[in-house]
Amino acid sequence: MSPKSVTKITRAAPPTYYARHGTLFMLLLLIFAPIIGWGYIKAEQTNNNNIKQWLPEGIPETEQYEDFRRHFGSDEFAIVSWKGCELNERYENSQLELFAKSMEQATIEAGARVPSLFEALGHRLDELLTGVPADVKPTNLRIVREVITGPRLIKQMRAAPFEQKLTMEQILHRLE
């Protein structure tokens, strides 16, 4: 026999685990996919962090919350300005700061009718511009959570712990 006429007989490699069981895996996937999808949808529907779900009925806090939501809605804000409300060359405005402090201190009596955000702003602007005190009585419930003004933002950005302090031009560019 010549070396050219010898043919080598090789065995085929046995099929891998996935090749042997691939059809079973695909069948199981097709069977369980709708169940998994349904479970995901149900989990998403019940994944709600609404305060009304865990706040008990009939307690004063629930009533205060409902009153607040009825008058203010959620995540409301107002941008306020008036004729003559301008910053000086040092980016300050004493009337604006007085208004901001007045709004931060604005409170109402517990259980009293909650003024709308715009009513409260109107009272404070009237007080500032006319000098006549607002008729909102100082008590224990704050009307406004936070007041942000341009000068306060500039001051905050100047004091920020940046490696390189920002110039006034950079701060104004960022605020624009």
Side-chain angles (χ1 to χ4, degrees):
M1 238 199 223
S2 72
K4 290 185 180 179
S5 63
V6 176
T7 55
K8 190 173 184 179
I9 300 174
T10 59
R11 279 184 160 173
T16 64
Y17 178 80
Y18 297 107
R20 287 191 314 256
H21 302 290
T23 306
L24 177 64
F25 285 135
M26 291 305 292
L27 183 62
L28 290 173
L29 181 64
L30 287 173
I31 291 171
F32 288 110
I35 297 169
I36 292 169
W38 177 79
Y40 173 79
I41 290 169
K42 283 299 191 185
E44 282 296 314
Q45 288 174 346
T46 60
N47 187 12
N48 184 357
N49 194 19
N50 186 349
I51 192 171
K52 294 183 89 172
Q53 289 181 342
W54 53 267
L55 194 59
E57 292 289 327
I59 63 171
E61 288 79 7
T62 304
E63 293 171 21
Q64 287 175 352
Y65 176 73
E66 290 296 331
D67 229 19
F68 181 85
R69 294 283 298 186
R70 203 170 21 262
H71 287 89
F72 294 108
S74 65
D75 297 331
E76 288 189 15
F77 65 93
I79 298 174
V80 179
S81 187
W82 58 88
K83 189 174 184 175
C85 179
E86 296 177 3
L87 301 178
N88 63 22
E89 62 278 350
R90 293 188 343 226
Y91 297 97
E92 296 173 344
N93 182 317
S94 59
Q95 279 191 322
L96 180 61
E97 190 56 33
L98 283 172
F99 175 72
K101 286 180 181 177
S102 173
M103 285 307 300
E104 288 171 335
Q105 296 168 357
T107 58
I108 60 167
E109 290 182 36
R113 184 186 78 77
V114 179
S116 73
L117 176 62
F118 297 108
E119 284 178 307
L121 289 171
H123 287 299
R124 295 300 166 174
L125 277 174
D126 287 344
E127 177 182 309
L128 177 69
L129 298 175
T130 64
V132 178
D135 61 354
V136 178
K137 299 175 186 174
T139 57
N140 58 350
L141 299 176
R142 292 184 61 195
I143 294 175
V144 178
R145 181 175 53 98
E146 181 180 21
V147 178
I148 300 171
T149 65
R152 289 180 180 185
L153 280 176
I154 290 171
K155 184 177 179 181
Q156 182 181 356
M157 291 178 80
R158 279 186 161 169
F162 296 112
E163 289 180 17
Q164 180 183 2
K165 295 292 181 186
L166 297 174
T167 66
M168 184 53 84
E169 185 178 306
Q170 291 170 321
I171 291 172
L172 294 176
H173 180 71
R174 287 184 180 196
L175 290 177
E176 286 175 6

